[in-house]
Amino acid sequence: MIPALDIDPFCTAFFDDPYPAHAAMRDAGPVVYLPRYDIHAVARYDDVRGMLMDWGSYTSARGVGIFDFAKEKPWRLPSLLLEADPPLHDRTRKLMDKVLSPAAVRALREAFAIAADTLIDDLLARGSFDAVRDLAEAYPLTVFPDAVGMPVENRRFLLPYGNMVFNSFGPRNSFFETAVADAEPVLAWVQAQSKRDALSVTGFGAAIHAAADDGDISAAEAEVLVRSLLTAGVDTTVNGLCAAVYCLARFPAVFAQLRADPSLARLAFEEAVRLESPVQTFFRTSTRDVTIGEETIPEGSKILMFLGAANRDPRRWERADEYDITRRNAGHVGFGTGIHGCVGAVLARLEGELVLGALARKVGSIEIVGEPKRRYNNTLRGMAFLPVRMTAA
Ligand code: PQP
């Protein structure tokens, strides 16, 4: 018997405090059934990881959201990366691996470091500010579109667009409906930004379009891949940076540790990604009758993977709920793993390292000075408002 749990993972109460429900799902068994949505779910580390690794049994090509592309027409052109299996996936992934290669990302380091130092200096001069808008959003909205090769106008339009896509992996609830309405005015703009002519001749966007010249992909596919970059590159790192600042503000002793050794910046970011898991969930669809633990689940089942619950599974992590920037957190699934493991992780980690490094070197204290507000999203975990005061070191 697969345990059935009366949990709604797409509602305000869950988003406000998902941890009791995460524990209930992990403790109920390797796989649970959520009748409210007629879906299965895995929340233990080993089972989430196992599912991420087994792309043959758990397809992404029927969508990584709750809707099954085999039963319903996708609301947008499916992603050639996120919503694809081998061999199609591997062809586009190979290209994106090249575009976002460690060498390509390393070349951005200098410019990204200057942007981080400048931002933190400006924020120190202000003293009090909203760490979501003024820090976590401001930084990726500068450096990422620069790296893609986008013009400077309207970059904030990327936020409602990403917010809509990440909401669309969940059910058609009010979060999704609101996000669609908010994004409607920017849809044409995002589409236009994916075109070759809209992008500078250097940058990730141009590199993708250049692959079309080589015949690796078609010109139309290049646009869909640039769309992937524009969708994936901002809201994710915004919530990653937000998670890190929120952790450092809540745990001053840890911030003191980081200040004492700024070379911990990279680990401090990684640990925030483990603990807060900005990308909380993704779905897979079973391609055959599959066995999880002792239980058999039929072909064509939607199965929700709780990355955030896996990253706090006490079966895997000691003091799982603690923000410990010196722990060995390698193996967390905040960036996924397997063939769909985050291709942008090198970029995200660079951004995290440089912003947290600047905080470590320049800032003496970070204090939360008002009521933080959570941002509700069917996939992403983050804040809408985080009022802080920073003092210089
Ligand atoms: C988490 C690709 C990747 C990145 C797309 C797409 C959308 C989102 C993400 C999720 N993503 N990190 O549209 O191809």
Side-chain angles (χ1 to χ4, degrees):
M1 260 294 276
I2 301 177
L5 273 65
D6 182 27
I7 287 171
D8 181 356
F10 303 108
C11 72
T12 309
F14 184 90
F15 297 145
D16 280 333
D17 183 14
Y19 303 116
H22 283 172
M25 289 187 284
R26 285 191 305 252
D27 292 345
V31 60
V32 301
Y33 179 65
L34 305 181
R36 191 181 292 254
Y37 296 105
D38 187 25
I39 57 175
H40 290 82
V42 292
R44 293 184 186 176
Y45 177 83
D46 284 347
D47 301 297
V48 168
R49 201 188 134 77
M51 197 169 290
L52 287 167
M53 294 303 292
D54 187 0
W55 56 266
S57 304
Y58 304 103
T59 178
S60 293
R62 287 165 76 166
V64 296
I66 197 167
F67 290 94
D68 185 351
F69 292 180
K71 296 178 184 154
E72 279 179 74
K73 189 173 137 44
W75 66 279
R76 59 169 197 167
L77 208 56
S79 166
L80 298 166
L81 211 53
L82 187 74
E83 296 157 336
D85 289 339
L88 170 65
H89 166 269
D90 296 359
R91 194 167 59 90
T92 41
R93 174 64 188 239
K94 207 171 120 195
L95 167 60
M96 294 304 263
D97 277 336
K98 200 163 67 183
V99 170
L100 296 168
S101 71
V105 172
R106 212 175 303 126
L108 298 169
R109 191 178 175 98
E110 198 76 8
F112 277 35
I114 292 169
D117 284 2
T118 307
L119 175 66
I120 301 306
D121 286 341
D122 289 351
L123 293 174
L124 275 170
R126 286 174 57 182
S128 298
F129 58 92
D130 173 8
V132 176
R133 187 193 54 204
D134 304 328
L135 195 166
E137 292 178 354
Y139 185 69
L141 278 175
T142 311
V143 296
F144 183 75
D146 279 350
V148 172
M150 298 175 73
V152 291
E153 298 80 36
N154 300 327
R155 289 176 171 187
R156 279 191 72 82
F157 287 3
L158 293 171
L159 290 171
Y161 184 74
N163 184 52
M164 172 188 68
V165 174
F166 283 95
N167 268 305
S168 76
F169 299 126
R172 297 284 181 271
N173 55 16
S174 63
F175 304 116
F176 178 75
E177 298 297 349
T178 304
V180 169
D182 290 347
E184 206 279 323
V186 307
L187 292 182
W189 178 87
V190 172
Q191 180 104 30
Q193 302 311 304
S194 305
K195 298 211 176 290
R196 190 168 204 167
D197 291 349
L199 299 157
S200 77
V201 294
T202 59
F204 298 142
I208 291 173
H209 282 290
D213 296 338
D214 302 339
D216 295 343
I217 53 170
S218 71
E221 286 175 319
E223 283 183 26
V224 181
L225 277 175
V226 174
R227 186 195 71 177
S228 287
L229 272 190
L230 303 187
T231 311
V234 177
D235 292 64
T236 46
T237 42
V238 165
N239 289 297
L241 290 171
C242 175
V245 174
Y246 191 41
C247 284
L248 294 171
R250 276 176 300 166
F251 309 115
V254 181
F255 185 50
Q257 204 178 5
L258 176 63
R259 290 185 57 214
D261 182 3
S263 75
L264 288 171
R266 211 172 160 86
L267 266 180
F269 180 71
E270 199 71 30
E271 175 68 350
V273 173
R274 180 195 69 84
L275 190 73
E276 292 291 330
S277 300
V279 177
Q280 284 275 301
T281 48
F282 270 125
F283 284 87
R284 293 289 188 263
T285 312
S286 52
T287 58
R288 55 179 180 83
D289 293 356
V290 291
T291 305
I292 302 175
E294 313 272 270
E295 309 292 350
T296 301
I297 294 156
E299 182 278 330
S301 302
K302 278 284 172 181
I303 309 173
L304 183 55
M305 305 179 292
F306 282 93
L307 309 178
N311 280 342
R312 286 170 175 248
D313 183 355
R315 293 159 191 79
R316 171 63 179 79
W317 310 98
E318 282 172 35
R319 299 168 288 104
D321 296 323
E322 245 176 68
Y323 182 59
D324 174 0
I325 63 174
T326 57
R327 81 159 73 228
R328 294 163 56 119
N329 55 26
H332 78 77
V333 291
F335 289 111
T337 188
I339 65 166
H340 288 282
C342 185
V343 69
V346 270
L347 201 54
R349 286 175 171 134
L350 178 67
E351 293 182 32
E353 175 192 345
L354 294 173
V355 170
L356 268 56
L359 291 174
R361 285 179 285 105
K362 293 170 181 284
V363 175
S365 67
I366 310 172
E367 188 195 349
I368 300 175
V369 292
E371 192 62 38
K373 283 196 189 63
R374 190 151 287 290
R375 178 167 286 154
Y376 299 120
N377 183 289
N378 287 329
T379 300
L380 298 172
R381 177 168 182 77
M383 317 294 288
F385 181 55
L386 180 60
V388 298
R389 181 159 48 230
M390 285 195 326
T391 59

